[in-house]
Amino acid sequence: MVKRSGSPAIEHAVLVTGFEPFGGATTNPSECVARALDGRTIVGRSVVAAVLPCVFGDARRALVRAIDRVRPELVVCVGEAGGRAEISVERVAINIDDARIPDNAGAQPIDRLIVTGGPVGYWSSLPIKAIVSALDAEKIAATVSQSAGTFVCNHIFYALMHALRDRPGVRGGFVHVPYLPEQVIGRPGIPSMALARTTRALEIVIATSLATRADAVIVGGATH
Amino acid sequence: MVKRSGSPAIEHAVLVTGFEPFGGATTNPSECVARALDGRTIVGRSVVAAVLPCVFGDARRALVRAIDRVRPELVVCVGEAGGRAEISVERVAINIDDARIPDNAGAQPIDRLIVTGGPVGYWSSLPIKAIVSALDAEKIAATVSQSAGTFVCNHIFYALMHALRDRPGVRGGFVHVPYLPEQVIGRPGIPSMALARTTRALEIVIATSLATRADAVIVGGATH
Amino acid sequence: MVKRSGSPAIEHAVLVTGFEPFGGATTNPSECVARALDGRTIVGRSVVAAVLPCVFGDARRALVRAIDRVRPELVVCVGEAGGRAEISVERVAINIDDARIPDNAGAQPIDRLIVTGGPVGYWSSLPIKAIVSALDAEKIAATVSQSAGTFVCNHIFYALMHALRDRPGVRGGFVHVPYLPEQVIGRPGIPSMALARTTRALEIVIATSLATRADAVIVGGATH
Amino acid sequence: MVKRSGSPAIEHAVLVTGFEPFGGATTNPSECVARALDGRTIVGRSVVAAVLPCVFGDARRALVRAIDRVRPELVVCVGEAGGRAEISVERVAINIDDARIPDNAGAQPIDRLIVTGGPVGYWSSLPIKAIVSALDAEKIAATVSQSAGTFVCNHIFYALMHALRDRPGVRGGFVHVPYLPEQVIGRPGIPSMALARTTRALEIVIATSLATRADAVIVGGATH
């Protein structure tokens, strides 16, 4: 995990972030998967995890601090997408905070720019099609997603890509993961994915990102 | 697996059935889970598996032959419920064959009684609420289902309960299971469950059924 | 509407029932559609509406009183199926009350028989396939449903069919209808149907039932 | 309808576009609604409709020609979002063509920029929150959508906003509409909206856009 002390940067590191629980929940699969990956070695790189507060602004500052400390070559931010059945590899972050529910500090910004003067959107710099293809090959349900929403997940995704503009050679992106099975007990019809499977999926996301420079040309769009 | 030869009945056996693939698919999770459980011992009973053809009539005859050979004290028939997210413990079988698609022999009965003169419905004799409660406790998504459909799954469920009328002391029921992960690759939004998890779920179904005589009084209905 | 006074039976009447709102809602489309149909003439019969309390037991007694007063040749009970997109023509009522939420009197029966000694199920005596076919022809989304749930809707459906056992020549059944548009405002993804459309659908249900003695042989089952 | 002849620009016009059917369908609700609105007067402006081919590139050229001919002060492009239950007012267009299915000319671009050197995204210049609020007030289900997909709908939305960059004072945006009822016959669970209702919704979209300069501050985001 990222420590607050002034430890030196790790060579060839990958930073993975998750979020603390929000909206009254006691668990967030993105935190669980980040903790599960912390300290692992993937394709010769050390994975360092950070858990971000689910708070507009604070999350972003914590992310930038973690990047500055870890100096990763790759950053994968992870968030919960309750109700989705598959790993969602996000394509684009948009420059808007528009909260349907309050964040963990009680703030609920509506239609506020994340970065004044920033572009409308940033593309993920992960090889999103190659990642979905690699997950398919391991029989883990996955898709390219065209929207990361407008809550703290999109906020951190946009902030990440904005921060990486000044860090050439560092790539990054965002992945949404389903609920854990324990989150859907008593809620028929809501899909979930076991933690071991989600963790394996993120390993594949990281390994594929490290191994792939130019993304694959593979069908993966949405008609609407 | 149930052999066609005249082997003697197994003492204290549990019969688990699955179906072969249907509707053009190459896999059926119910077959996979039945094969995975075959030969295991659960609460001191031997599990014997049988794979039934997805054919009206033939499935029923194969089931009755397996019951006669194995002489189980418990029968759990399993089928695939593609699109459901959780283990569905069926409450009631109804006396109707009404096929939306042809079975594997090409037959497509419409609104035909399964048993002429048979009752409209049979209740499962499994402790359906206790089973869902036990699955909840292991964090496996489950629900009581009020309908097993009108295809070969309901056909075999009805045939099972009809057959057990003449076999006092033998209990039985039907459980629908989600798609396997490999069945939903490239189909965003469709839930699935890993085979190991589904297999563990069926172990719990069997163990709970063996351990429970009177079902628990637990909320589990549906408003519609 | 059914009056409590001792008015004489209406010749050639059709009784349509809806439910009062439940579960904290302020509207129930089934009540709205029953009121909209009240007093209309369909295929030469007068439609008489009754609004039933959403209370186990009381609903049943109110239904039987209405049947005794109106002496209809056809009874169509209507209920709300929030979340469904289409008119659901129910096939079968089952002999169980199993409430997921309390009824309007605060009762929440669990796995209790509706009629002690009654059969497990009763079929609808409406021509369910012909009805769906007629709705299709008018471009109103409809389906045969294999379960009316285990709440007050199924309770009244079962009670209706049980009561009609002693009233030869009187036919009846149950139809679930979607939310009204005003019920889904602010709830993206939840389907609804406009009242005029739902009312037209029920006219077709009634007209088709009056015109059809033997049901059509049409595909309409469910694989699970 | 937009004529190919060199008729003079209409004063104070609103251009509404729909698409021809695609993906093998014979109907497209967006074409129906555009045709239904053609020639109407809304808040003193004349509505002119154009039906665009569902072809990458051709659609865009047809749109620009229609804008040049009609010289509207407002452009609302409409597309079909099969499976959605509500009017979706799109927030943002992204600079990517990524076709899951071929367009009507057989082309299936994958991850191709719509405008080389163009920004990642363009915001709608319609008052999206005020529109949803006005639709709510008329009890028509509506939501802000964070993604118009990556097919011809998003293509035309992006092309529209790119074209309006050079046409100061002209505003525009994109609205996705549900299937028509006749498109979901025999497909249980798929929502639809009647044409009269969808047409009324688009009238409200246009009237609200004409009446509103600064958008309302209203909750309308998505958590993911």
Side-chain angles (χ1 to χ4, degrees), chain B residues 74-86:
Chain B
L74 179 71
V75 185
V76 179
C77 296
V78 186
E80 171 191 283
R84 290 200 197 161
E86 59 280 320

Side-chain angles (χ1 to χ4, degrees), chain C residues 28-30 78-88 140-141 175-181 183-184 190-195 197-198 201-202:
Chain C
N28 188 319
S30 68
V78 186
E80 170 191 284
R84 290 200 197 160
E86 59 279 319
I87 301 293
S88 296
I140 299 178
V175 174
H176 264 118
V177 299
Y179 279 136
L180 296 173
Q183 296 179 281
V184 302
I190 310 286
S192 66
M193 191 177 278
L195 179 58
R197 196 171 186 81
T198 303
L202 264 293

Side-chain angles (χ1 to χ4, degrees), chain A residues 144-196:
Chain A
V144 170
S145 167
Q146 323 301 333
S147 169
T150 58
F151 195 53
V152 187
C153 286
N154 174 74
H155 176 86
I156 211 71
F157 181 16
Y158 188 92
L160 168 66
M161 302 318 297
H162 191 70
L164 295 188
R165 232 178 24 170
D166 305 325
R167 290 163 174 85
V170 184
R171 292 180 302 152
F174 196 95
V175 175
H176 265 118
V177 299
Y179 280 134
L180 296 173
E182 56 259 43
Q183 295 179 282
V184 303
I185 297 305
R187 301 164 70 190
I190 311 286
S192 66
M193 191 177 279
L195 180 58

Side-chain angles (χ1 to χ4, degrees), chain C residues 39-101:
Chain C
R40 292 199 192 177
T41 300
I42 301 178
V43 197
R45 278 75 158 192
S46 301
V47 177
V48 182
V51 177
L52 307 175
C54 192
V55 174
F56 289 101
D58 285 1
R60 180 183 173 182
R61 283 181 288 274
L63 172 67
V64 172
R65 277 197 307 270
I67 293 173
D68 286 343
R69 193 166 301 124
V70 176
R71 299 208 189 152
E73 63 179 277
L74 179 71
V75 185
V76 179
C77 296
V78 186
E80 170 191 284
R84 290 200 197 160
E86 59 279 319
I87 301 293
S88 296
V89 186
E90 298 294 343
R91 184 196 291 269
V92 64
I94 59 175
N95 188 11
I96 203 90
D97 287 336
D98 192 20
R100 195 174 56 74
I101 56 173

Side-chain angles (χ1 to χ4, degrees), chain B residues 81-82 84 91-92 95-96 98 100 108 110-111 120-121 123 129 146-147 149-151 176 218-224, chain C residues 81-82 84 91 95-96 98 100 108 110-111 120-121 123 129 146-147 149-151 176 218-224:
Chain B
R84 290 200 197 161
R91 184 194 291 268
V92 64
N95 188 12
I96 202 91
D98 191 20
R100 193 174 56 73
Q108 190 172 4
I110 293 183
D111 291 339
V120 169
W123 303 119
K129 297 290 184 73
Q146 322 302 333
S147 170
T150 58
F151 195 54
H176 264 118
I218 300 169
V219 171
T223 49
H224 58 263
Chain C
R84 290 200 197 160
R91 184 196 291 269
N95 188 11
I96 203 90
D98 192 20
R100 195 174 56 74
Q108 191 172 4
I110 294 182
D111 291 340
V120 168
W123 303 120
K129 297 291 183 71
Q146 322 302 333
S147 169
T150 59
F151 195 54
H176 264 118
I218 300 169
V219 170
T223 49
H224 59 264

Side-chain angles (χ1 to χ4, degrees), chain D residues 177-215:
Chain D
V177 299
Y179 279 134
L180 297 173
E182 57 260 42
Q183 295 180 281
V184 303
I185 297 304
R187 302 164 71 189
I190 311 287
S192 65
M193 192 177 278
L195 180 57
R197 195 170 187 82
T198 303
T199 304
R200 177 70 189 131
L202 264 294
E203 283 187 333
I204 295 169
V205 169
I206 293 166
T208 306
S209 297
L210 291 170
T212 312
R213 286 286 142 184
D215 196 6

